[in-house]
Amino acid sequence: MWLPPKSERERKCCLRRFEHNIHMGIWGKRDNMIVHESEPYNAEPPPGALVDQVTPLDTFYGRNHGPFPLMDTASWRLRVDGLVDRTLVLSIDELQRRFPERELVATLQCAGNRRADLMEFRDISGQVPWGPGATSTASWGGVRLADVLAEAGLQAEAAHIAFTGSDMSQDADPPQPFGASIPAAKATSGEVLLAWAMNGRTLPPAHGAPLRVVVPGWIGARSVKWLRRITAQAEPTDNYFQTEYSVLPPEADPHKAEPRDGITLGPIAIHCAILQPDKGAHLPSGPTEVTGFAFAGDDRTVARVDVSHDCGSTWIHADLDEPENPWTWQHWHATLTLPAGATELIARAWDDTAAVQPESPATVWNPKGYANNSWARLHVTCHP
C-alpha cells in the first residue's frame, strides 16, 4: 500500500531515491528516452524506436501524474463495489485462480501525444511537449473486466465503471489518487482487461504493477495503473482526472473552465505519425524510405495512409500493414523521390468509416493540447 511522505524531509528523501533509481535504470528504460519530467516520470522514446509491432518494455512510453507508489503485491487487494450484488475483495492469486486468463495486443496512447506540433502553432503553457512517441503497443495478459463484473453482479443502474489507482497526484486540489471511469457498455465488452502481465512478463512497477486497467482504443488516461478499486455507479466518476482530460474551446481559460465546458475524451481519433527519417535529417536526394504508424482508435481500423513531399499537390498511397486486431496501430511504408533542398513530408490517414485527419493544427488547437490528429509533418533537407 502506498503512503504519502509525512514531512518535507521525507519527501526530499523520496525524491533523491527516485532520481537515484532513474539514474540506475531501475525502471528498465533505454538510455535515449526523451525524459520530459523525472518526477513525476514522463518520457517517450525517439520516434524511430517505435517501428516494431509490439514495443519492447524498455521503449514503452511513461505518463504519470505523481510519483510511482511503492506496492506490496502480497498485501495488495482489489476491491469491487458500488452498484453490484456482491462486493469483492481479491488478491492477485485469487484473480488468477478464479477467472480465465486472457491475452490481448493493444496500443495505448497519451491524450497529449503530438502536443508539440500544436505548440508550434500556438503556445500551450504548463503542459508536457509530447512528440509522437507517447504511444506504444504491448501484449497484455490478465482477466477480462467483464468477467470480474459478472462475478460481482452488475446492477441495471450501473451505467459507469470507475477505477481508482494508488498513485497520489498534486495536480488535484486537494491531492487525490489518479482515477477515471468508462461507460459500462465499454467495461463489459470483451477487450477491456485487468492486466498483470506485459509482453509475457510480470507487469513492471513503472507500468502499474501489480494490476492495471487496459482500455483498448481509448486514451491512455482511462487505463488506470496501480489499480486498487473498481466501483460501479450511475454517473461518471468525479475524480479530477476524468474531466481534466477534456478538449476545451480554443478561447477557454483552462484555469477557469467548468467541467461542462469541455468534451470529455474517450475513444482516440484517427491519426498517424512519421517515424523515419528523423526530424531535421540531412539526406541524399532521390528515392527515400518513409515509415510511420497510424491508429484509428476505438474499434476502427486504418483503411489508407497517403504521403506527400510537395505540400499535398500529389500523394502516394503507402503500403499499410494489417492490424493485429482492431485495438492496435498499423505501420506503413512508402518510397518517395525527394528533390534537393528543404522538404516537408506530410502524411494523413483514413479509417474504415472514411474519417480522415484534419489538415491543419489550427483546426484542432485547444488550450490543453489534447487530441492532436492533424496531418503529420516532418522537415528534412536533401543534398544532391
Side-chain angles (χ1 to χ4, degrees), residues 233-290:
Q233 51 196 57
E235 302 294 335
T237 179
D238 61 359
N239 187 279
Y240 169 82
F241 292 100
Q242 182 69 11
T243 53
E244 164 63 18
Y245 278 96
S246 61
V247 173
L248 294 170
E251 69 277 6
D253 181 344
H255 303 293
K256 298 179 180 178
E258 298 291 332
R260 64 178 179 272
D261 295 335
I263 301 172
T264 301
L265 290 167
I268 293 170
I270 178 69
H271 72 283
C272 69
I274 300 171
L275 300 178
Q276 293 176 331
D278 294 335
K279 182 177 181 180
H282 289 259
L283 308 167
S285 58
T288 302
E289 179 86 9
V290 181

Side-chain angles (χ1 to χ4, degrees), residues 44 109-116 130-135 271 273 293 369 371-372:
E44 62 182 302
Q109 180 173 289
C110 175
N113 194 52
R114 295 183 58 218
R115 179 184 284 134
W130 293 105
T135 182
H271 72 283
F293 74 82
N372 176 22

Side-chain angles (χ1 to χ4, degrees), residues 17-249:
R17 181 177 60 179
F18 177 87
E19 291 175 339
H20 173 75
N21 288 341
I22 290 294
H23 178 71
M24 295 301 291
I26 195 170
W27 305 123
K29 294 301 175 184
R30 58 193 297 146
D31 292 339
N32 63 343
M33 289 290 281
I34 302 166
V35 180
H36 298 291
E37 296 177 287
S38 56
E39 187 191 2
Y41 181 64
N42 287 295
E44 62 182 302
L50 292 175
V51 295
D52 296 321
Q53 171 65 13
V54 172
T55 309
L57 295 183
D58 70 347
T59 304
F60 206 100
Y61 81 98
R63 175 63 173 121
N64 299 283
H65 290 273
F68 295 165
L70 303 177
M71 306 292 289
D72 176 18
T73 302
S75 61
W76 173 92
R77 296 294 183 271
L78 173 67
R79 180 180 179 87
V80 184
D81 59 14
L83 297 175
V84 295
D85 296 333
R86 296 168 293 279
T87 295
L88 306 179
V89 180
L90 302 165
S91 66
I92 280 289
D93 181 63
E94 288 171 317
L95 278 168
Q96 294 173 341
R97 285 190 294 102
R98 292 173 58 175
F99 302 96
E101 184 171 357
R102 308 290 183 181
E103 188 169 339
L104 180 72
V105 178
T107 299
L108 293 187
Q109 180 173 289
C110 175
N113 194 52
R114 295 183 58 218
R115 179 184 284 134
D117 295 343
L118 295 182
M119 289 175 162
E120 289 182 7
F121 170 73
R122 180 178 167 188
D123 188 40
I124 301 170
S125 62
Q127 296 287 350
V128 176
W130 293 105
T135 182
S136 301
T137 299
S139 176
W140 307 96
V143 299
R144 298 192 308 177
L145 174 60
D147 291 343
V148 175
L149 293 175
E151 177 71 13
L154 196 62
Q155 297 176 3
E157 315 91 85
H160 299 269
I161 307 300
F163 311 115
T164 304
S166 300
D167 48 331
M168 285 294 270
S169 174
Q170 302 293 321
D171 293 349
D173 185 17
Q176 63 178 258
F178 188 89
S181 66
I182 60 175
K186 177 67 174 179
T188 54
S189 61
E191 70 271 9
V192 180
L193 295 185
L194 303 179
W196 58 68
M198 187 176 180
N199 291 357
R201 296 168 54 185
T202 300
L203 187 68
H207 293 289
L211 192 75
R212 70 169 298 162
V213 188
V214 175
V215 184
W218 284 45
I219 62 167
R222 308 311 178 207
S223 293
V224 175
K225 301 190 288 290
W226 305 292
L227 184 67
R228 61 181 174 87
R229 187 178 182 184
I230 299 172
T231 304
Q233 51 196 57
E235 302 294 335
T237 179
D238 61 359
N239 187 279
Y240 169 82
F241 292 100
Q242 182 69 11
T243 53
E244 164 63 18
Y245 278 96
S246 61
V247 173
L248 294 170

